[in-house]
């Protein structure tokens, strides 16, 4: 079951679903979704001499990613073909019996701006800001203004609450993320978890 505006408000009032700050209910709560705003931090991918991004090397993240913080009244220009990581301004907490889907907004889609490359799903139990995988699929640069409504979250109720929600007891690596976070794929068990770190 997908939550309607009334259902969303009820869950927010109960307090187990958290979207913080939710400054303008009138503007942000849509018929069956909640619009989230763009934060001011961005991670940009640099052209680099490393041979490839290797899942087992933590060190390389700093070599191909740099952070930009947009000042007040300024914009971030997303050029055609760009792929950057942004963040929602809001922090969310998803209860164990809901899944949240990160979607774009049609008005941005019509400008060829998409908000995730894949896996736009917030697990039951997830807490934190949401990292946006922003791309410009069009042919004209688009100005993104921190504070603008950039994405929307829809919520689906699970038949039963998750037995093992997203969280520290299952090693969930993006729990409580603050600002855009680069991939932590090197923490995956198949790449040696947190133990393995390549030295080359
Ligand atoms: O566009 C998105 C989608 C999800 N998330 C957050 C919420 C989600 O619960 C978490 C983990 O997502 P997922 O399970 O798809 O990633 P993973 O690579 O499998 O991470 P983990 O191994 O921690 O589950 O990342 C975002 O920040 N942005």
């Amino acid at each position: 079951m997908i939550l309607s505006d009334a259902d969303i408000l009820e869950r927010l009032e109960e307090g187990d679903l958290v979207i913080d700050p939710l400054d303008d209910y009138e503007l942000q709560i849509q018929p069956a979704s909640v619009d989230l705003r763009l934060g001011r931090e961005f991670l940009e991918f640099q052209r680099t001499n490393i041979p490839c991004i290797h899942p087992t090397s933590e060190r390389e993240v700093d070599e191909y990613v740099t952070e930009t913080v947009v000042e007040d009244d300024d914009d971030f220009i997303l050029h055609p073909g760009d792929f950057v990581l942004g963040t929602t301004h809001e922090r969310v907490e998803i209860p164990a019996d809901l899944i949240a889907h990160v979607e774009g907004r049609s008005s941005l889609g019509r400008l060829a701006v998409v908000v995730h490359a894949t896996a736009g799903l917030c697990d039951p139990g997830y807490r934190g800001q949401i990292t946006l995988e922003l791309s410009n699929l069009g042919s004209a640069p688009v100005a993104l203004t921190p504070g603008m409504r950039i994405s929307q979250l829809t919520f689906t109720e699970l038949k039963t609450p998750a037995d093992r929600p997203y969280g520290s007891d299952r090693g969930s690596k993006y729990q409580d993320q603050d600002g855009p976070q680069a991939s932590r794929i090197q923490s995956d068990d198949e790449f040696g978890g947190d133990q393995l770190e390549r030295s080359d």
Side-chain angles (χ1 to χ4, degrees):
M1 188 185 72
I2 296 173
L3 300 197
S4 69
D5 50 3
D7 300 325
I8 293 169
L9 279 169
E10 197 175 308
R11 297 300 294 258
L12 289 169
E13 272 162 28
E14 282 169 10
D16 57 350
L17 171 64
V18 174
I19 301 175
D20 183 42
L22 188 49
D23 293 322
D24 192 336
Y25 278 56
E26 196 69 27
L27 195 65
Q28 289 181 257
I29 300 197
Q30 300 290 319
S33 64
V34 179
D35 284 349
L36 299 184
R37 293 162 296 177
L38 182 65
R40 57 177 66 248
E41 303 102 352
F42 297 86
L43 294 182
E44 295 182 76
F45 291 73
Q46 304 302 318
R47 290 194 180 274
T48 167
N49 289 330
I50 59 174
C52 68
I53 296 172
H54 200 291
T56 62
S57 175
E58 200 162 347
R59 180 174 61 86
E60 286 168 1
V61 170
D62 294 337
E63 291 185 29
Y64 65 85
V65 170
T66 54
E67 187 180 45
T68 300
V69 180
V70 173
E71 300 296 328
D72 284 346
D73 301 324
D74 217 347
D75 298 318
F76 182 89
I77 307 298
L78 193 63
H79 290 273
D82 269 0
F83 176 75
V84 305
L85 299 179
T87 181
T88 58
H89 175 61
E90 294 82 2
R91 182 183 170 279
V92 303
E93 290 182 20
I94 311 299
D97 66 335
L98 293 183
I99 274 188
H101 305 265
V102 184
E103 309 284 359
R105 291 185 61 220
S106 179
S107 298
L108 270 300
R110 294 167 203 226
L111 300 175
V113 173
V114 297
V115 298
H116 67 78
T118 187
L121 188 145
C122 293
D123 293 276
Y126 175 74
R127 298 188 311 250
Q129 288 177 312
I130 297 171
T131 293
L132 301 169
E133 303 151 355
L134 295 162
S135 281
N136 179 348
L137 306 178
S139 51
V142 178
L144 301 179
T145 308
M148 73 190 286
R149 287 175 293 138
I150 186 91
S151 70
Q152 58 185 321
L153 271 191
T154 64
F155 302 93
T156 305
E157 200 167 77
L158 306 184
K159 199 168 154 204
T160 58
D163 268 350
R164 295 180 62 229
Y166 201 80
S168 56
D169 68 324
R170 58 174 307 137
S172 305
K173 50 191 178 289
Y174 301 108
Q175 187 73 312
D176 290 315
Q177 67 184 352
D178 187 18
Q181 298 297 317
S183 175
R184 295 180 186 156
I185 195 169
Q186 71 279 355
S187 308
D188 280 357
D189 281 351
E190 54 270 54
F191 296 120
D194 288 326
Q195 320 307 322
L196 187 69
E197 197 178 322
R198 278 157 56 107
S199 53
D200 57 341

